[in-house]
Amino acid sequence: MRRQKFKTKRLVLRPLENKDYEVWFDAYVNGLPKKNKWDLAPLKPSKCTKKYFHKIKRTHDLLAQKDDYYRYYVFDKKSGAIIGQIDFDIFVRSTHQFANFGYQIFNRHWSQGYGKEASLAGLKIGFQHLRLNRLEAAINLDNRISIRLARA
C-alpha cells in the first residue's frame, strides 16, 4: 500500500524521506533527559549515523510494502522538526482488518496538544487510508498519560 502524506492544522505525518537525516538526528539525539519509564532517553550521536538512518528507513519501507507495519513520523509544519511518531502493526488483514496503534511524542514537545492531534490523524489514517476495522492501543495500565490520550 502506498504511504501518503497527511496534514493537520499544525502537523504533517509521513514516512521518512532521504532528506530527513538532520531532523531525524536532532529528534533522537537532542531530546530532554528521560522523564519516566516509558520515555526514551536521547541516543548517542555516534549511534545515529546516516547508515543507521537509511537502514531504519529501508526497514520501514519494506515492512510497509509487505503490509506488515507502517510508521509515520510526526513533523511540525512550521519548523519541520520531527516531534514524534505513530505506527500501525498489522495483526490480521483477511477477516478482521486489525492492527495495534502506537503513538509517541518526544518529551521536549510534551504538553502542547501534539499527542492528541497526531493520534486523531492516526485514527483517520488507520481507518480510512489503511482500511482497518479495529485499532487497539497497547498501553501499560500504569501509564496514565497514554490512557488519557487514548480516551480523548
Side-chain angles (χ1 to χ4, degrees):
M1 179 170 293
R2 188 173 156 278
R3 293 182 296 164
Q4 298 175 348
K5 183 185 297 188
F6 299 90
K7 295 180 182 181
T8 68
K9 182 178 179 182
R10 301 180 296 163
L11 306 173
V12 175
L13 291 82
R14 64 171 175 79
L16 285 176
E17 297 174 359
N18 289 330
K19 66 178 181 164
D20 293 326
Y21 172 71
E22 286 80 17
V23 293
W24 174 86
F25 181 93
D26 178 63
Y28 283 92
V29 171
N30 295 320
L32 299 174
K34 187 174 177 172
K35 294 188 175 196
N36 61 43
K37 68 182 180 181
W38 305 283
D39 195 12
L40 294 177
L43 298 178
K44 294 181 180 181
S46 60
K47 181 176 180 172
C48 294
T49 63
K50 284 188 178 182
K51 183 177 180 179
Y52 181 66
F53 168 81
H54 288 292
K55 180 180 177 184
I56 288 171
K57 183 186 174 311
R58 276 192 309 276
T59 298
H60 292 161
D61 291 345
L62 287 171
L63 289 169
Q65 286 173 5
K66 292 171 29 177
D67 194 38
D68 286 339
Y69 177 85
Y70 297 88
R71 178 171 288 183
Y72 291 86
Y73 286 82
V74 179
F75 292 81
D76 177 63
K77 274 185 180 178
K78 286 184 182 178
S79 69
I82 294 175
I83 62 170
Q85 59 199 23
I86 63 166
D87 59 30
F88 303 88
D89 190 0
I90 308 296
F91 289 146
V92 179
R93 267 297 188 186
S94 59
T95 55
H96 300 303
Q97 303 295 331
F98 168 49
N100 186 53
F101 176 49
Y103 42 83
Q104 175 188 22
I105 299 298
F106 299 130
N107 63 16
R108 63 183 174 169
H109 305 285
W110 286 358
S111 301
Q112 298 177 52
Y114 292 128
K116 184 174 183 178
E117 191 172 339
S119 295
L120 290 172
L123 293 175
K124 288 181 181 179
I125 293 168
F127 290 125
Q128 294 174 8
H129 178 67
L130 298 177
R131 297 188 176 146
L132 295 162
N133 293 330
R134 178 178 171 181
L135 292 174
E136 181 175 289
I139 302 170
N140 291 327
L141 295 176
D142 55 347
N143 189 343
R144 293 181 183 170
I145 294 169
S146 193
I147 291 169
R148 189 170 55 234
L149 179 60
R151 289 181 175 157

